[in-house]
Amino acid sequence: MSKFHLNIKELIQGEFIIHKVNVAFVFQVNCPGCFIYGIPIVNELYSSFNSKVGFIGVATAFEDFEYNNEASLKLLLESGTLVGETQKYYHTNYGISNYTETLNFPVAFDSIISSEQFINSDKVESICNAIPNFENFPEIERKSIIQKVKSYYAPIPVIAETFTINQLKGTPSFIIFDDNYNNLGHYFGHQDKEILKTKLAYLLG
């Protein structure tokens, strides 16, 4: 079973208390879809399950770094201020520049490091170890794969660790994991909230 790697700065809002079942909601501030259907779903799940399930929102950045940053996240949490494409969407469609729904769950910003720091750490090996049966590959093949991963990330100026190590496809992403950080479910994009509710109810027994 693969592991969920949660690498964040200190929480900006709330307190994350790990439970036997947990939900990480990974989003970008400059991601309209995260606001249209991601945040409302997490708020509803949080309202229904927060006494038994741990929740953590992780604002990340894999593009548009001028908008997807900790300062923009703090503005969102403090005053509902929107930025970039998200602001454009809500202004064009609803004539508003502030998000009217609050984020009711704990929120942190993803850990951001330079590509040099990233490729010279053991985090690349964490990515490779998620490949099925990687540990059984011949040593020369393992080393070749590790080098290819390092070469891929070397030109990228900064790396968001939670997003990158878990090889997420994009945002919004919903990850369900246990108290040992074993990955129990991974969902990307627009989700049916009833499917997520059913999954959590099943895991809680």
Side-chain angles (χ1 to χ4, degrees), residues 91-112:
H91 182 74
T92 301
N93 291 280
Y94 302 105
I96 59 176
S97 297
N98 285 60
Y99 195 52
T100 55
E101 186 158 353
T102 58
L103 283 68
N104 299 329
F105 44 90
V107 182
F109 198 75
D110 207 341
S111 174
I112 306 289

Side-chain angles (χ1 to χ4, degrees), residues 4 17 30 34 37 45 47 52 54 65 95 107 145 159 165 186 193:
F4 174 60
I17 300 174
N30 192 39
C34 295
Y37 43 75
L45 294 176
S47 176
K52 296 181 179 179
F65 297 104
V107 182
I145 292 171
I159 305 292
I165 297 172
H186 175 206
K193 64 184 177 184

Side-chain angles (χ1 to χ4, degrees), residues 14 27 40 42 74 88 98 114 123 129 185 202:
F27 67 103
V42 181
K74 287 180 177 178
K88 187 185 299 183
N98 285 60
S114 70
K123 298 175 176 68
N129 286 332
Y202 171 77

Side-chain angles (χ1 to χ4, degrees), residues 15 17 27 35 43-44 57 60 62 75 78 83 103 123 125 128 143 148 151 163 168 170 188 204:
E15 180 184 7
I17 300 174
F27 67 103
F35 289 74
N43 274 341
E44 187 166 336
T60 192
F62 58 85
L75 282 173
E78 291 166 2
V83 298
L103 283 68
K123 298 175 176 68
E125 281 78 0
C128 296
K143 287 182 176 179
K148 286 178 181 178
S151 297
F163 183 86
L168 301 182
F188 165 58
L204 292 170

Side-chain angles (χ1 to χ4, degrees), residues 62-81:
F62 58 85
E63 60 186 359
D64 304 328
F65 297 104
E66 69 273 25
Y67 296 122
N68 292 317
N69 53 53
E70 191 170 350
S72 295
L73 174 63
K74 287 180 177 178
L75 282 173
L76 171 67
L77 296 175
E78 291 166 2
S79 59
T81 300

Side-chain angles (χ1 to χ4, degrees), residues 1 41 69 183:
M1 184 177 291
I41 286 176
N69 53 53
N183 196 329

